[in-house]
Amino acid sequence: MLKVYNTLSGKKEIFKPIVEDKVGMYVCGNTVYDFCHIGHARAMISFDIISRFIRHLGYDLNYVRNITDVDDKIIKRAAENNETTQALTERMIAAQQEDELRLGNKMPDREPKATEFMQEIIDMIEVLIEKGFAYQGDSGDVYYRATAFEEYGKLNNRKLEEMLAGARIDVEQAKEHAADFVLWKQTKEGEVFWASPWGNGRPGWHIECSAMSTSCLGNHFDIHGGGPDLKFPHHENEIAQSEACTGEKYVNYWMHCGAVRVDNEKMSKSLGNFFTVREVLEKFNPEVIRYLMVSSQYRSSIDYSDQSLLEAKVALERLYTALRDQGVADVVTPSDYTKRFEEAMNDDFNTAGALSVLFELVRDLNKAKTDDSDKALVLAAELKFLAELLGLLYQDPEYFLQNSVITDGLDEAAIQALIDERTQARKDKNFARSDEIRDELASQGIDLLDSREGTSWSRR
């Protein structure tokens, strides 16, 4: 049975969907004012794998991940670029989708935009005001009355005053309490706005997700996910808004992936250790990045560095080398490897444990390649099938092994020309020239592998 760590309870729980065989999952997406960074990649890949395995278990999954396309940061960046907020967000959404596809992700079933749900947002705020959970301050902004929700703090298992002590809270004169947060804010001259009962304005960040998630999945759904920095205040506020508005339980299972650290420090622009996905893809094959993210269970933090990426590259090359020049059976025959892979994944999506099973399978496959070709075909098919659940081994083995790192060195045509020259030198028994070519390629990070079928190569 699938067990999921629930942030709300602080423990692993047996997963039981609200509706048998159906699962609704909402994940907080990005605020699209800039290119995706590797922290975004961690969340994207984590919940892509979670969605793949939930479907593998036979559930009919509805995976919704929102896009925040109106926000202070978006307005500021658009003004700096001298472009409209719509032009900026459309460009960044296209870039995000391109990055995701390169990283091997499957797209969510639905990606609602905040700007498409303005009426639902306004309707929810009106209900909160009517119930006494929200009010309009002297500034004209509408605030949520945090003290009115008795269970405020239950996601983080802390009382309101305790959370405020360590949090950065904007204290505004218009608020009744420091913990109150904005639901609708008045716009400044020249900013994008929508008409509302409280004047022209735009929604606060927290209310957007409450409106989009309940509109797409209903008032009560199974899973809500996001990054580690969203537990407070964002997800805490979502619970307060949603449950106060609907009178129902909001979400059964809260899931949060781990953070990405850079050389053992928190990733931060101010520290100069902030990397976009696009910057990393200039040096490494996208599947290397994915492997790094998969190599740790999704709740664990990941230390990102060039060294960790190189280690991921080497590990992934071991898997691809097993498939090089290896046929694959037409039908997948599950064995004990599949059973143990599923056991690992059923334990709160333990991808690290699942990967260890794949490497055991590879050892068996490499042995079968010389001892039993029929068994090798079957094991190769099982390896591909299980790896696909992690979004791995989707490239041609030869291509990956030759392109696991991006280099300004010899291109493929130049490498092949030298290999052809070496092959001819060996035929001519000119072994000195053959060795010279091997050494020349090795000095540029190109390793050769001679076999009965010929010579293949890979980048070191």
Side-chain angles (χ1 to χ4, degrees), residues 424-439:
Q424 187 59 48
R426 295 175 72 188
K427 288 180 180 179
D428 297 339
K429 301 188 184 303
N430 186 354
F431 299 114
R433 177 55 183 156
S434 171
D435 290 344
E436 285 177 3
I437 294 173
R438 176 184 283 277
D439 292 343

Side-chain angles (χ1 to χ4, degrees), residues 285-339:
N285 185 294
E287 197 171 347
V288 172
I289 302 174
R290 187 179 186 91
Y291 184 94
L292 175 62
M293 301 299 178
V294 172
S295 62
S296 297
Q297 198 260 6
Y298 77 96
R299 286 191 291 115
S300 303
S301 61
I302 286 180
D303 186 44
Y304 170 89
S305 65
D306 278 356
Q307 181 60 36
S308 62
L309 282 169
L310 288 169
E311 292 170 359
K313 178 188 84 74
V314 171
L316 194 51
E317 284 174 343
R318 285 178 58 196
L319 298 178
Y320 268 114
T321 299
L323 293 173
R324 192 178 213 169
D325 301 321
Q326 170 61 50
V328 178
D330 294 332
V331 179
V332 176
T333 305
S335 70
D336 185 61
Y337 290 118
T338 296
K339 178 185 176 183

Side-chain angles (χ1 to χ4, degrees), residues 115-273:
T115 55
E116 298 171 341
F117 284 79
M118 283 300 157
Q119 190 56 54
E120 289 83 355
I121 291 170
I122 290 170
D123 290 345
M124 181 169 274
I125 295 173
E126 286 187 310
V127 172
L128 290 171
I129 291 175
E130 290 173 4
K131 289 187 171 185
F133 287 98
Y135 60 94
Q136 187 170 19
D138 295 338
S139 64
D141 294 343
V142 179
Y143 295 96
Y144 184 89
R145 186 175 281 118
T147 54
F149 187 68
E150 293 182 0
E151 294 185 288
Y152 193 89
K154 65 180 178 179
L155 180 64
N156 292 268
N157 194 29
R158 298 171 69 188
K159 294 181 179 180
L160 181 60
E161 292 72 19
E162 293 174 346
M163 289 187 290
L164 290 179
R168 293 174 59 187
I169 301 293
D170 294 327
V171 179
E172 301 174 17
Q173 295 299 320
K175 290 183 178 183
E176 293 179 353
H177 190 279
D180 295 351
F181 53 90
V182 69
L183 299 174
W184 188 265
K185 57 176 65 179
Q186 302 295 307
T187 51
K188 299 174 184 176
E189 185 176 353
E191 292 182 345
V192 62
F193 68 86
W194 286 262
S196 81
W198 318 284
N200 294 338
R202 64 179 186 274
W205 176 37
H206 311 301
I207 194 67
E208 293 175 2
C209 281
S210 287
M212 285 185 280
S213 61
T214 55
S215 295
C216 295
L217 297 173
N219 294 343
H220 180 202
F221 55 92
D222 298 292
I223 298 172
H224 194 312
D229 56 328
L230 299 180
K231 287 188 284 187
F232 181 80
H234 185 53
H235 288 163
E236 197 70 65
N237 291 348
E238 272 193 68
I239 293 174
Q241 295 164 159
S242 304
E243 296 191 357
C245 179
T246 67
E248 301 179 40
K249 184 175 182 177
Y250 182 36
V251 173
N252 281 0
Y253 303 90
W254 286 87
M255 301 177 67
H256 295 91
C257 63
V260 174
R261 300 177 66 82
V262 178
D263 293 324
N264 291 313
E265 290 187 300
K266 182 179 179 180
M267 186 175 65
S268 168
K269 285 185 177 180
S270 62
L271 295 174
N273 63 358

